[in-house]
């Protein structure tokens, strides 16, 4: 399970990072919202009766929030229409219900993609909802990975290539545990993905799959999302305090929540000493010698 994923590329990361897999429910209650809502529409691929299909979709959208409420996930069928709903993270049932109701309202056939779309998906800050004329995800749905980020400056931030790579490695490391988990969800608090002596950055990473996927599909989906997260310049930055960012997919969801704090001076000195015990000892000895030598010199001059 988790250990098998540690074998090759992740082991180095694990040495570098103080990673603690912490499936702690409710750990992210005060996180920043990502206010962008993404809607994706695909035209009908099938000669389904549109009138009948629309009626089926509407009944599914109405039923989905309650169906998903207890567990955070549901897949439903009515006639030729299918719908799926997924609430992100450890959402409380009432929060999940509210989120999917709102998503359903935004996605309904008149205000959403229109009656000519027979496949559609919507991602808000808290949940994902989709409908389709078929239960299998299409290739274009599988390949879709929009990225969304909190705040007004999506292009901002200045993460280095290696910092993005390290965040992506943490996400990759979560793919296997998420895939074999009952709730198909794994989180981790990665500290020291980035650190220096003045500030400490912690990134909570959430990796989650729609629960009707197989473990292999889930793993593959998240690995691809991690790859997309690592590609350049989208504002995800382990030094941007209070940034939240997500990589969206029809079958999986990946989110990063960054927080940074200043390191107190005494701790900073302790860190320097710990990291460079030899250098600091030599420097300390030199300073002592200089100070004592200086006194001796002054004495003999007088
Ligand atoms: C489409 O479905 C509606 C409602 O079920 C039905 O009244 C109508 O006759 C159907 N149209 C076609 C062309 O099958
Ligand atoms: C859709 O397919 C998935 C995976 O094969 C399955 O688990 C799920 O029950 C199906 N949903 C419906 C409504 O048939
Ligand atoms: C078209 O609809 C039929 C009946 O629902 C379904 O069996 C078939 O798989 C659909 N084809 C495509 C390409 O979606």
């Amino acid at each position: 399970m988790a250990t098998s994923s540690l074998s090759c590329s992740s082991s180095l990361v694990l040495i570098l990072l103080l990673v603690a897999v912490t499936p702690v429910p409710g750990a992210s209650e005060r996180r920043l919202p990502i206010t962008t809502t993404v809607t994706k529409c695909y035209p009908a691929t099938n000669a389904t009766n549109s009138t009948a299909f629309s009626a089926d979709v509407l009944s599914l959208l109405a039923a989905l929030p309650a169906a998903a409420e207890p567990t955070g996930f549901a897949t439903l069928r009515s006639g030729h229409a299918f719908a799926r709903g997924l609430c992100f993270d450890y959402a409380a049932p009432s929060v999940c219900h509210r989120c999917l109701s709102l998503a359903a309202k935004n996605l309904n056939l008149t205000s959403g993609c229109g009656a000519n779309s027979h496949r559609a998906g919507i991602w808000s800050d808290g949940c994902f909802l989709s409908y389709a004329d078929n239960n299998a995800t299409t290739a274009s749905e599988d390949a879709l990975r929009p990225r969304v980020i909190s705040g007004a400056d999506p292009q901002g931030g200045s993460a280095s290539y290696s910092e993005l790579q390290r965040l992506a490695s943490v996400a990759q490391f979560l793919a296997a545990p998420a895939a074999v988990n009952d709730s198909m969800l794994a989180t981790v608090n990665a500290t020291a993905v980035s650190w220096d002596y003045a500030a400490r950055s912690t990134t909570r990473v959430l990796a989650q799959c729609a629960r009707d996927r197989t473990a292999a599909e889930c793993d593959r989906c998240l690995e691809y999302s991690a790859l997309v997260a690592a590609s350049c310049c989208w504002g995800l930055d382990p030094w941007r305090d209070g940034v939240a960012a997500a990589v969206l997919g029809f079958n999986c969801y990946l989110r990063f929540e960054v927080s940074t704090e200043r390191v107190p001076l005494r701790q900073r000195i302790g860190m320097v000493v710990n990291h460079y015990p030899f250098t600091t000892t030599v420097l300390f000895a030199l300073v002592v010698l200089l100070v004592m030598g200086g006194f001796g010199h002054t004495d003999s001059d007088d």
Side-chain angles (χ1 to χ4, degrees):
M1 305 195 323
T3 37
S4 65
S5 76
L6 307 186
S7 53
C8 46
S9 65
S10 326
S11 57
L12 175 67
V13 174
L14 284 182
I15 293 165
L16 291 173
L17 310 183
L18 310 166
V19 172
V21 179
T22 47
V24 184
S28 65
E29 272 154 31
R30 282 184 18 231
R31 67 178 192 82
L32 267 184
I34 300 172
T35 50
T36 313
T37 294
V38 174
T39 305
K40 183 71 189 168
C41 312
Y42 296 95
T45 52
N46 215 342
T48 342
N49 179 335
S50 274
T51 316
F53 181 76
S54 299
D56 287 334
V57 167
L58 285 178
S59 77
L60 287 178
L61 294 185
L64 203 60
E69 179 173 347
T71 64
F73 176 77
T75 163
L76 298 177
R77 173 187 191 156
S78 169
H80 290 312
F82 295 83
R84 298 153 83 219
L86 174 69
C87 291
F88 304 144
D89 216 338
Y90 298 98
S94 61
V95 173
C96 180
H97 189 290
R98 213 178 313 129
C99 186
L100 286 173
S101 301
L102 195 63
K105 203 184 287 174
N106 287 330
L107 200 58
N108 85 48
L109 296 161
T110 46
S111 68
C113 293
N116 286 331
S117 286
H118 281 192
R119 308 188 71 91
I122 185 169
W123 295 259
S124 68
D125 189 38
C127 60
F128 160 72
L129 191 159
S130 72
Y131 64 79
D133 53 12
N134 179 301
N135 192 26
T137 36
T138 62
S140 47
E141 284 170 346
D142 266 338
L144 184 82
R145 286 297 188 286
R147 300 192 292 193
V148 288
I149 193 153
S150 64
D153 181 19
Q155 300 302 320
S158 54
S160 68
Y161 172 77
S162 60
E163 283 170 340
L164 274 179
Q165 285 293 321
R166 286 201 290 270
L167 283 179
S169 305
V170 175
Q172 236 164 13
F173 155 75
L174 284 184
V180 297
N181 195 307
D182 279 346
S183 51
M184 282 205 152
L185 184 163
T187 67
V188 71
N189 283 323
T191 55
V193 166
S194 281
W195 63 277
D196 64 20
Y197 293 112
R200 189 164 22 231
S201 165
T202 304
T203 305
R204 180 176 185 267
V205 185
L206 163 73
Q208 187 174 4
C209 291
R211 253 169 277 156
D212 59 348
R213 297 300 104 190
T214 64
E217 285 171 324
C218 174
D219 189 277
R220 214 178 315 125
C221 188
L222 287 169
E223 298 257 356
Y224 183 47
S225 293
L227 210 67
V228 170
S231 57
C232 176
C233 312
W234 63 298
L236 174 61
D237 181 341
W239 291 111
R240 268 180 112 182
D241 188 30
V243 106
V247 182
L248 313 174
F250 269 86
N251 289 314
C252 64
Y253 180 76
L254 187 60
R255 190 171 67 211
F256 301 88
E257 295 154 29
V258 178
S259 59
T260 59
E261 55 174 344
R262 293 192 61 74
V263 176
L265 183 62
R266 274 183 58 186
Q267 256 185 48
R268 274 189 242 172
I269 294 169
M271 282 161 78
V272 174
V273 173
N274 274 337
H275 280 101
Y276 306 102
F278 179 73
T279 315
T280 44
T281 308
V282 169
L283 275 177
F284 182 72
L286 271 177
V287 169
V288 169
L289 281 176
L290 277 175
V291 169
M292 289 174 66
F295 280 135
H297 192 67
T298 325
D299 279 348
S300 65
D301 258 8
D302 278 348

